[in-house]
């Protein structure tokens, strides 16, 4: 029995009135009016249909499906406006509520033939009976939509609907549960079909969607998981879903499945919306949309609930994917790992956070050994050899972790998966271990624990990592870090550092072929060819004659003392040392000298006749000059062993030694200093006694002989060191200062009567003129000048200085200035050198994918706020950008040596703040007028000086601004010339910075 259409009609006239123009909005529900196709699909799905067919004619569209037949309730629903159209009733979307009404965009009189119902609707709400028209075959329901509206011609209707049907994709079917076939036919009798097949897989389902569309075939496989959600009010259960695309690959005859990231991932509300999620997978849920379905309200309680439930779902999915064997690097790449796509306040952030928390705590990251590890127990290795070197147990011990630590899979690298790597490090706090970082972790306890075989691996590993064990390059350079770590496994089982703290003296040797009692590297380890080659490059050698002296001969004199050594043995030792010192091996000799200087192995005698073993540096040669010079001194030791030239190299002296002291600064030289001042003054060993003794000699000839000895000593010293009579004073006031003053040696010589005259007496130097000096004292010009009694020479020297000054075009004052400020001059030279040569490396980064980058920027741009200025004292900018420009600039312009570089002077920023970060100023490239949008790329990182110059010379000049903007847009280079007044310089950009800036400027015209 068909429904009583007359009664419904009368009821509806009562409810909606005689006029129906107020219902004409029903034809304008959607911005895109072809959207009714999706509404009909949804109707058929709700009616439980398996198949649906769209048949388009020139003047009408016929839609048939095989779902449940119409009953009276359906007739009332399809003819009514109120029922099922309440906005809150989310579960009703697509039922015969407002959805069906979207057909009024193209028809004024829809007809429906289903079961015993055959009727058409006029004026939106008034049903009339019509003659029956069988749907045919197994179809149960037929809709006919004649194109008969006033506004749209049949031709337009036909074209628009045709385009929509052709543009459906197999994905349209993805989240449907009942319909598994959509077919369409166009007036041209072409058409297409979309099919869906599904099988259960784990707790989810695998859905294949296939499309044959105008000779274009497509097939996609998806894994879909769902989570039930209770809808408010109705308490009906709805679902949120997530779907991952699977691809199969044939590898070596085997079929491998993997989850792949999808590029387009609109939010799906049964059917795709215009809202991009930016995920590498799809999520579906009954989100509340705007009436025209083209947007999703973000601050909507229900939508927030759905996002939260989806976040929970995703968390569960991670473990399911792992159980299904699909948790791979490719899968991780589909997750929201590009954090710049998901700011904290974005709609889907809870999903991003949920996934991140799961990855941190649960074992969901592919490890190097094929298992899985949580981010908190994972380490990234820089280099595959590092992963090979350290296994799980070793990692655990090295990082002193209670849990088992694992390396992440080797596929995760800067080159192959840059986004994932950066996500792991920055968002999941996974530490990336570099060879250097690892070296710093090694300690005695860890190394002692490792088996011998491991050291062979370890030494092989180290052979191409020279930075870790390189030799010292300058004084006090400790060299590579491992030189002083106990990385050597010795034959006796001990762990030793390769070298003693001073740097180059080895603690152990390479094993010689014969037996030895030297400490040697374990023979079984050194037997490995590569390990041996490494140890050799490290600087170890087989023990030689030099080592024998350093390790065996000299220590005896300290340990048991020279007196316990027989004369014959002592003689033999002396011969060994002399022989070693006559070798051509400079390195070998250096070893011996270093050790021998401070070993008491030489016999020496003092004036009292005592003979003891003394260090070479404490002994004087047994010369008649020295004996004479020291005749008034008791505390002096002369060589007793046979004199050899080599002793001189070891420190036995033939001149009285200079003795350093920090006393003797005259009061008038003292300066105000805010830090510790240093005085480097010198006395001469035995000088005080000498000057006393010489007075007591009664015979003038003898006095003259003694004076002549000292005279010759002084002359020798002055030849070696023109500043021999100078002492140095250093103080600090704002900066470090220094000056020279007369040394204690000079003061003693100046004030004592020790210069013999022709007349036969001793006088102080100042009392004597040149013509009074005895013959044998003449000819030592330097000495005479220094002692200050030769006025004539002094004058001629002044003359020479003046001539030189003229020749080199410098003033004498400047020369004096240089001479008197040696430290300042040194600083000045160093500054010059830094400025000229040691420019820091300018940071560089190639732009890997310019198109994607421009696209992303364009998206960001449309969201970026206009700059707002508030009228305050200094017109302070109040807009906040998504990324803090200061942080961004710091990262962009800091090079790999942790130097932040100024974009204009290209020098390192001049100082660091107490937190260790460089101080710099961020400066807008262009003024607001020329760059009205807020974005971090519009800033420059400048040192304070360049920043001030930029303000003064560039930003005040509007003409320059325009020119600069044009140059930036058109340049092919990353360096843009500018002038600060007369000073020509340039702005240098990191490549990606300039590319982005260009894009933004171009966009704004
Ligand atoms: Zn600068």
């Amino acid at each position: 029995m068909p429904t009583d259409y007359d009664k419904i009609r009368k009821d509806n006239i009562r409810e909606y009135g005689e006029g129906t123009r107020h219902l004409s909005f029903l034809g304008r529900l959607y911005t895109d009016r072809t959207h009714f196709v999706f509404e009909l699909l949804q109707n058929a799905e709700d009616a439980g249909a398996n198949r649906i067919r769209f048949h388009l004619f020139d003047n009408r569209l016929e839609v048939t499906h095989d779902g449940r037949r119409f009953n009276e309730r359906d007739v009332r629903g399809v003819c009514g406006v109120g029922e099922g159209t309440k906005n809150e009733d989310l579960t009703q979307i697509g039922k015969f509520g407002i959805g069906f009404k979207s057909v009024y965009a193209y028809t004024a009189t829809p007809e429906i033939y289903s079961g015993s119902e055959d009727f058409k609707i006029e004026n939106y709400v008034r049903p009339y009976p019509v003659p029956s028209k069988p749907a045919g075959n197994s179809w149960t329901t037929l809709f006919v939509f004649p194109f008969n509206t006033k506004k749209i011609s049949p031709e337009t209707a036909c074209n628009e609907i045709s385009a929509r049907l052709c543009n459906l994709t197999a994905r349209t079917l993805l989240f449907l549960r009942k319909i598994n076939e959509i077919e369409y036919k166009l007036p041209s009798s072409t058409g297409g079909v979309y099919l869906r097949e599904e099988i259960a897989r784990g707790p989810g389902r695998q859905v294949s969607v296939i499309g044959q569309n105008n000779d274009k075939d497509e097939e996609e496989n998806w894994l879909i998981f769902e989570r039930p959600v209770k809808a408010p009010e109705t308490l009906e259960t709805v679902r949120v879903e997530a779907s991952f695309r699977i691809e199969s690959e044939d590898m070596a005859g085997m079929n491998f499945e993997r989850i792949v990231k999808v590029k387009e991932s609109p939010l799906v509300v049964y059917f795709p919306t215009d809202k991009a999620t930016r995920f590498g997978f799809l999520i579906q849920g009954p989100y509340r949309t705007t009436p025209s379905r083209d947007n999703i309200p973000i601050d909507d309680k229900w939508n927030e609930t759905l996002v939260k439930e989806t976040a929970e779902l995703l968390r569960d999915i991670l473990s399911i994917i792992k159980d299904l064997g699909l948790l791979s690097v490719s899968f991780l790449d589909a997750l929201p790992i590009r954090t710049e796509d998901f700011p904290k306040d974005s709609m889907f952030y809870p999903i991003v956070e949920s996934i991140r928390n799961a990855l941190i705590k649960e074992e969901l990251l592919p490890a190097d050994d094929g298992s899985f590890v949580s981010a908190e127990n994972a380490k990234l290795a820089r280099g595959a050899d590092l992963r090979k070197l350290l296994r799980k147990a070793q990692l655990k011990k090295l990082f002193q972790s209670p849990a088992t630590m694992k390396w992440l899979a080797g596929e995760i690298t800067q080159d192959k998966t840059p986004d994932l790597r950066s996500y792991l490090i920055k968002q999941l706090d996974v530490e990336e271990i570099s060879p250097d970082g690892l070296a710093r972790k090694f300690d005695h306890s860890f190394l002692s624990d490792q088996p011998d075989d491991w050291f062979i691996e370890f030494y092989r590993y180290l052979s191409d990592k020279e930075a870790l064990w390189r030799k010292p390059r300058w004084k006090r350079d400790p060299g590579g870090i491992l030189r002083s770590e106990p990385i050597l496994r010795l034959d006796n089982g001990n762990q030793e550092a390769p070298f003693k703290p001073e740097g180059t003296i080895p603690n152990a040797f390479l094993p010689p072929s014969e037996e030895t009692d030297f400490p040697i590297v374990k023979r079984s380890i050194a037997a490995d060819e590569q390990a041996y080659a490494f140890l050799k490059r490290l600087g170890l050698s087989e023990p030689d004659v030099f080592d024998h002296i350093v390790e065996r001969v000299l220590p005896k004199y300290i340990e048991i003392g020279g007196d316990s050594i027989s004369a014959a043995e002592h003689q033999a030792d002396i011969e060994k040392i002399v022989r070693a010192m006559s070798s051509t091996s400079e390195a070998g000799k250096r070893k011996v000298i270093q050790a021998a200087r401070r070993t008491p192995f030489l016999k020496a005698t003092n004036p009292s006749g005592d003979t003891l073993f003394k260090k070479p540096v404490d002994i004087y040669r047994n010369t008649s000059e020295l004996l004479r010079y020291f005749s008034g001194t008791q505390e002096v030791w002369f060589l007793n062993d046979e004199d050899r030239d080599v002793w001189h190299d070891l420190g036995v002296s033939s001149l009285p030694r200079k003795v350093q002291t920090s006393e003797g600064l005259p009061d008038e030289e003292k300066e105000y200093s805010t830090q510790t001042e240093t005085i480097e003054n010198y006395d001469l060993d035995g000088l005080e006694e000498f000057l006393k003794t010489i007075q007591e000699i009664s015979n003038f000839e003898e006095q003259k002989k003694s004076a002549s000895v000292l005279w010759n000593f002084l002359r020798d010293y002055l030849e070696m060191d023109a500043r021999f009579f100078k002492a140095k004073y250093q103080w600090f006031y704002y900066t470090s200062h220094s000056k020279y003053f007369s040394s204690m040696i000079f003061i003693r010589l100046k004030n004592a009567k020790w210069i013999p005259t022709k007349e036969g007496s001793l006088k102080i130097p100042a009392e004597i003129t040149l013509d009074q000096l005895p013959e044998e004292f003449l000819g030592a010009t330097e000495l005479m000048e220094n002692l200050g009694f030769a006025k004539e020479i002094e004058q001629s020297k002044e003359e020479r200085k003046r001539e030189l000054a003229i020749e080199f075009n410098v003033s004498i004052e400047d020369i004096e200035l240089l001479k008197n400020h040696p430290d300042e001059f040194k600083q000045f030279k160093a500054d010059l050198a830094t400025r000229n040569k040691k420019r820091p490396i300018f940071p560089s980064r190639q732009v890997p994918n310019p198109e994607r980058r421009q696209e992303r920027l364009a998206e960001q741009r449309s969201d970026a706020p206009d700059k707002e200025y508030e009228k305050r004292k200094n017109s302070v900018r109040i807009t906040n950008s998504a990324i803090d420009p200061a942080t961004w600039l710091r990262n962009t312009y800091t090079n790999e040596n942790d130097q932040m570089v100024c974009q204009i002077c290209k020098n390192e920023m001049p100082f660091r703040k107490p937190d260790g970060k460089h101080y710099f100023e961020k400066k807008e490239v262009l003024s607001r007028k020329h760059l009205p949008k807020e974005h971090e790329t519009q800033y420059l990182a400048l040192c304070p000086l360049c920043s001030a110059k930029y303000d003064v010379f560039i930003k005040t000049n509007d003409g320059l601004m325009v020119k600069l903007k044009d140059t930036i847009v058109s340049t092919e280079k990353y360096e843009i010339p500018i002038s600060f007044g007369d000073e020509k310089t340039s702005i240098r950009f990191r490549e990606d910075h300039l590319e982005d800036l260009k894009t933004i400027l171009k966009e704004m015209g």
Side-chain angles (χ1 to χ4, degrees):
M1 272 294 284
T3 306
D4 184 349
Y5 304 126
D6 291 351
K7 182 169 184 308
I8 295 179
R9 198 165 64 243
K10 278 172 196 151
D11 290 350
N12 279 356
I13 287 173
R14 237 189 343 271
E15 183 161 358
Y16 302 111
E18 284 289 343
T20 50
R21 221 187 292 164
H22 64 283
L23 296 176
S24 64
F25 78 93
L26 293 169
R28 304 188 299 269
L29 282 173
Y30 300 118
T31 322
D32 174 2
R33 56 193 170 217
T34 64
H35 194 84
F36 82 95
V37 166
F38 292 112
E39 297 295 348
L40 291 175
L41 279 170
Q42 190 65 45
N43 282 346
E45 169 84 1
D46 291 343
N50 292 317
R51 299 167 60 215
I52 182 168
R53 188 181 69 186
F54 294 84
H55 197 160
L56 185 63
F57 298 89
D58 290 330
N59 61 352
R60 70 185 189 281
L61 172 69
E62 291 188 4
V63 180
T64 44
H65 70 65
D66 63 353
R68 185 173 48 76
R69 290 176 172 81
F70 264 54
N71 57 25
E72 183 179 345
R73 193 168 168 265
D74 296 326
V75 176
R76 282 189 177 274
V78 87
C79 292
V81 180
E83 217 171 308
T85 61
K86 273 187 298 172
N87 232 0
E88 298 76 30
D89 193 355
L90 298 155
T91 60
Q92 286 287 323
I93 289 177
K95 293 209 173 157
F96 294 134
I98 209 152
F100 180 80
K101 303 298 184 294
S102 57
V103 303
Y104 289 109
Y106 291 104
T107 187
T109 57
E111 299 161 22
I112 296 161
Y113 307 89
S114 179
S116 54
E117 309 287 354
D118 300 292
F119 63 103
K120 66 174 177 183
I121 308 169
E122 292 183 6
N123 299 76
Y124 310 107
V125 291
R126 298 175 192 173
Y128 292 91
V130 290
S132 169
K133 198 171 175 183
N137 294 336
S138 56
W139 303 113
T140 60
T141 302
L142 164 67
F143 298 92
V144 180
F145 304 116
F147 301 145
N148 56 1
T149 66
K150 283 181 194 143
K151 295 224 172 95
I152 297 161
S153 69
E155 198 189 351
T156 307
C158 194
N159 286 342
E160 287 179 1
I161 296 169
S162 172
R164 164 58 76 191
L165 292 172
C166 291
N167 285 332
L168 291 177
T169 63
R171 261 185 226 183
T172 310
L173 280 164
L174 189 58
F175 288 102
L176 298 180
R177 311 300 281 256
K178 300 285 185 199
I179 298 177
N180 46 37
E181 183 180 329
I182 303 173
E183 187 192 346
Y184 72 90
K185 273 189 181 159
L186 303 181
S188 57
S189 78
T190 56
V193 64
Y194 305 100
L195 302 170
R196 182 175 64 87
E197 283 166 21
E198 88 174 47
I199 49 165
R201 188 155 177 198
R205 60 191 201 275
Q206 180 168 338
V207 175
S208 308
V209 286
I210 300 156
Q212 290 161 352
N213 200 357
N214 293 329
D215 303 329
K216 207 179 72 199
D217 287 358
E218 49 173 345
E219 176 170 358
E220 290 180 353
N221 290 297
W222 295 77
L223 264 180
I224 306 182
F225 304 95
E226 63 182 57
R227 180 180 171 90
V229 183
K230 279 263 182 288
E233 294 177 21
T234 65
L235 294 181
E236 204 175 321
T237 301
V238 294
R239 299 181 290 259
V240 288
E241 294 174 292
S243 184
F244 292 86
R245 176 126 188 231
I246 323 175
E247 269 182 10
S248 299
E249 252 181 299
D250 275 331
M251 277 171 75
M254 301 251 287
N255 197 20
F256 282 100
E257 270 186 324
R258 58 186 192 131
I259 288 174
V260 294
K261 175 184 163 184
V262 291
K263 286 199 186 91
E264 305 274 312
S265 54
L267 175 67
V268 180
V269 181
Y270 303 108
F271 302 103
T273 66
D274 292 339
K275 172 88 183 168
T277 65
R278 298 184 180 284
F279 296 144
F281 51 89
L282 297 176
I283 58 170
Q284 198 282 131
Y287 288 83
R288 204 192 305 276
T289 63
T290 53
S292 58
R293 271 185 76 96
D294 46 15
N295 215 336
I296 313 291
I298 291 178
D299 295 325
D300 178 287
K301 272 263 159 323
W302 171 244
N303 285 350
E304 280 174 17
T305 306
L306 293 179
V307 169
K308 266 185 218 138
E309 294 291 340
T310 308
E312 290 296 319
L313 171 63
L314 257 310
R315 200 181 166 114
D316 297 341
I317 288 175
L318 294 174
S319 342
I320 297 169
I321 294 283
K322 178 179 158 186
D323 295 342
L324 290 174
L326 289 168
L327 181 39
S328 63
V329 168
S330 169
F331 169 72
L332 293 178
D333 202 42
L335 297 179
I337 57 174
R338 277 150 297 271
T339 44
E340 66 270 29
D341 286 345
F342 307 95
K344 275 207 165 64
D345 54 358
S346 64
M347 181 171 182
F348 301 114
Y349 189 72
I351 297 175
V352 177
E353 201 176 39
S354 164
I355 292 174
R356 190 180 61 214
N357 291 339
L359 294 178
I360 290 174
K361 292 283 175 199
E362 294 164 32
E363 297 186 339
L364 293 169
L365 298 171
D368 183 39
D369 61 358
S371 69
F372 294 89
V373 62
S374 66
E376 52 185 13
N377 292 330
K379 300 280 172 194
L380 264 171
R382 203 178 290 168
D385 46 1
L386 217 148
R387 288 192 301 273
K388 250 173 61 192
L389 182 68
L390 293 178
R391 295 276 151 217
K392 260 186 294 187
Q394 289 161 322
L395 272 183
K396 185 176 151 96
K397 178 143 175 47
L398 199 57
F399 291 95
Q400 291 164 5
S401 149
T404 299
M405 309 296 286
K406 290 179 190 173
W407 293 118
L408 287 173
E411 310 154 67
I412 305 170
T413 66
Q414 172 68 61
D415 295 340
K416 284 188 264 176
T417 57
D419 289 337
L420 180 57
R421 174 178 164 275
S422 135
Y423 176 73
L424 288 165
I425 294 171
K426 291 192 185 134
Q427 298 294 318
L428 306 187
D429 272 338
V430 173
E431 189 183 359
E432 187 181 47
I433 309 295
S434 62
D436 183 70
L438 183 74
R440 280 168 206 286
K441 288 228 176 314
F442 284 145
D443 58 11
H444 193 275
S445 132
F446 174 81
L447 292 165
S448 306
D449 255 23
Q450 305 309 317
D452 291 353
D453 285 353
W454 183 81
F455 281 93
I456 295 178
E457 290 294 315
F458 183 41
Y459 296 158
R460 287 177 182 175
Y461 163 82
L462 286 177
S463 44
D464 65 345
K465 306 208 167 32
E466 192 168 346
L468 297 179
W469 47 265
R470 63 168 179 79
K471 296 188 168 73
R473 290 183 190 136
W474 55 86
K475 219 178 156 187
R476 270 189 231 118
D477 172 19
I481 176 172
L482 292 180
R483 292 179 83 78
S484 49
E485 296 289 332
I487 60 164
L488 294 186
R489 163 77 37 98
L490 300 193
D491 221 30
N492 61 9
N494 284 355
Q495 289 297 132
E496 282 281 0
F499 297 95
K500 295 199 194 322
E502 309 93 84
T504 49
I505 301 178
N507 280 323
F509 297 90
L510 293 174
S513 49
E514 70 279 2
E515 281 302 308
T516 174
D517 56 352
F518 277 108
I520 54 167
V521 173
K522 196 152 193 171
R523 283 185 187 271
S524 58
I525 294 171
D528 179 82
E529 207 173 303
Q530 281 169 279
Y532 186 87
F534 160 73
L535 292 166
K536 209 163 169 183
R537 284 175 60 212
L538 176 63
L540 301 192
S541 55
E542 290 182 19
D544 55 24
V545 56
F546 306 106
D547 300 314
H548 179 74
I549 291 167
V550 171
E551 298 283 336
R552 293 288 176 268
V553 175
L554 292 171
K556 275 190 312 197
Y557 288 85
I558 295 170
E559 284 154 20
I560 59 172
D563 295 332
S564 324
I565 294 165
S566 74
E569 186 176 356
H570 175 63
Q571 197 51 43
D573 291 344
I574 294 285
E575 293 308 326
K576 275 180 197 161
I577 293 167
V578 170
R579 226 177 11 253
M581 290 298 291
S582 68
S583 118
T584 53
S585 160
E586 288 306 319
K589 282 193 280 190
R590 257 201 313 279
K591 261 195 281 194
V592 172
I593 291 172
Q594 211 176 343
R597 284 170 70 84
R598 313 219 167 266
T599 305
F601 77 96
L602 284 175
K603 262 192 267 178
T605 312
N606 70 2
S608 323
D610 306 321
T611 300
L612 288 177
F613 284 90
K614 291 294 221 180
K615 298 173 188 168
V617 291
D618 292 337
I619 300 173
Y620 286 107
R621 289 186 121 152
N622 198 346
T623 64
S624 58
E625 290 84 2
L626 283 169
L627 285 170
R628 178 177 281 271
Y629 173 82
F630 281 114
S631 59
T633 308
Q634 286 306 306
E635 264 312 297
V636 61
W637 294 89
F638 295 101
L639 186 65
N640 183 292
D641 274 317
E642 188 188 341
D643 196 357
R644 320 267 187 132
D645 282 345
V646 294
W647 299 155
H648 198 248
D649 295 333
L650 301 182
V652 174
S653 182
S654 38
L655 287 175
R657 292 193 172 85
K658 272 169 87 176
V659 182
Q660 193 174 340
T661 153
S662 55
E663 320 255 288
L665 177 72
D667 285 345
E668 65 272 20
E669 299 285 359
K670 178 133 181 70
E671 303 280 353
Y672 177 72
S673 178
T674 51
Q675 286 182 19
T676 321
E677 38 189 21
T678 57
I679 298 162
E680 230 178 84
N681 201 350
Y682 296 96
D683 200 352
L684 200 63
D685 196 12
L687 182 60
E688 192 180 358
E689 291 80 2
F690 171 87
L691 293 172
K692 225 181 279 165
T693 314
I694 194 169
Q695 314 297 330
E696 293 155 8
I697 301 172
S698 51
N699 180 332
F700 176 71
E701 279 309 310
E702 286 301 311
Q703 279 182 323
K704 206 163 102 176
K705 267 189 202 160
S706 292
S708 164
V709 163
L710 177 58
W711 184 269
N712 289 335
F713 286 158
L714 296 175
R715 199 184 50 198
D716 288 352
Y717 263 124
L718 269 172
E719 266 169 23
M720 289 185 282
D721 174 14
R723 288 212 178 102
F724 177 68
F725 288 134
K726 300 285 185 198
K728 190 175 175 187
Y729 172 48
Q730 272 178 301
W731 73 99
F732 194 95
Y733 186 65
Y734 289 103
T735 166
S736 124
H737 303 267
S738 68
K739 63 180 171 186
Y740 289 104
F741 62 95
S742 296
S743 74
M744 206 174 272
I745 302 172
F746 184 78
I747 304 285
R748 288 194 197 286
L749 293 172
K750 198 176 85 172
N751 296 329
K753 291 187 176 184
W754 68 278
I755 308 270
T757 62
K758 282 180 184 161
E759 291 86 59
S761 63
L762 294 178
K763 292 203 164 165
I764 62 171
E767 289 171 348
I768 306 179
T769 55
L770 272 181
D771 52 350
Q772 290 176 292
L773 266 183
E775 286 292 317
E776 58 267 49
F777 287 76
L778 285 171
T781 323
E782 283 287 315
L783 179 56
M784 289 188 281
E785 276 169 23
N786 271 291
L787 289 173
F789 53 75
K791 299 266 157 36
E792 306 94 293
I793 292 171
E794 197 58 35
Q795 273 162 13
S796 79
K797 196 173 177 189
E798 276 304 312
E799 196 60 39
R800 210 173 67 218
K801 225 194 275 178
R802 207 160 296 131
E803 278 167 21
L804 273 177
I806 291 163
E807 192 183 329
F808 290 106
N809 197 20
V810 249
S811 71
I812 293 186
E813 289 78 9
D814 285 350
I815 296 175
E816 291 294 329
L817 201 70
L818 285 188
K819 215 172 105 190
N820 293 328
H821 295 86
D823 280 6
E824 286 85 345
F825 185 55
K826 210 158 99 195
Q827 180 62 44
F828 172 72
K829 278 198 290 191
D831 285 352
L832 261 190
T834 357
R835 222 171 307 160
N836 293 338
K837 281 181 275 164
K838 290 185 130 185
R839 275 276 166 77
I841 303 162
F842 198 85
S844 164
R845 172 167 304 169
Q846 294 314 316
V847 184
N849 183 347
E851 287 80 28
R852 165 73 183 125
R853 200 174 175 88
Q854 281 174 14
E855 209 175 279
R856 184 140 53 178
L857 262 169
E859 287 163 8
Q860 265 181 36
R861 297 303 316 141
S862 58
D863 299 339
D866 281 353
K867 284 185 205 167
E868 289 173 42
Y869 285 85
E870 265 190 352
K871 278 263 178 221
R872 288 192 215 158
K873 249 198 298 189
N874 297 320
S875 175
V876 177
R877 163 95 42 74
I878 60 169
T879 326
N880 276 325
S881 170
I883 301 172
D884 165 31
T887 308
W888 182 83
L889 284 169
R890 185 182 301 291
N891 293 340
T892 305
Y893 288 100
T894 299
N895 69 18
E896 56 208 27
N897 300 328
D898 190 33
Q899 294 169 301
M900 185 171 180
V901 184
C902 170
Q903 283 185 258
I904 292 184
C905 64
K906 290 96 184 171
N907 284 319
E908 187 175 354
M909 295 297 175
F911 67 95
R912 288 177 195 256
K913 297 181 289 174
D915 65 3
K917 290 179 177 162
H918 285 92
Y919 176 87
F920 75 101
E921 293 184 9
K922 72 174 160 63
K923 177 73 45 196
E924 287 164 300
V925 183
L926 301 170
S927 54
R928 186 186 168 214
K929 188 173 147 193
H930 300 281
L931 190 55
K933 288 276 187 175
E934 174 88 27
H935 197 272
E936 69 270 10
T937 55
Q938 76 191 54
Y939 290 98
L940 299 174
L942 301 181
C943 73
L945 189 61
C946 290
S947 168
K949 289 182 185 171
Y950 200 77
D951 274 342
V952 170
F953 291 106
I954 310 286
K955 290 199 71 178
T956 50
N957 187 330
D958 204 58
L960 272 183
M961 284 277 109
V962 176
K963 245 179 80 186
L964 181 60
K965 183 174 170 181
D966 291 347
T967 317
I968 294 174
V969 171
S970 60
T971 185
E972 294 291 313
K973 299 189 174 124
Y974 295 107
E975 192 154 359
I976 293 174
I978 55 163
S979 306
F980 291 151
D982 291 339
E983 181 192 348
K984 301 245 176 291
T985 178
S986 67
I987 315 175
R988 173 105 178 248
F989 289 87
R990 198 170 83 173
E991 294 79 350
D992 51 346
H993 184 180
L994 189 66
E995 290 303 334
D996 287 353
L997 183 59
K998 269 187 188 175
T999 308
I1000 283 166
L1001 289 177
K1002 277 184 197 154
E1003 212 173 274
M1004 284 187 295

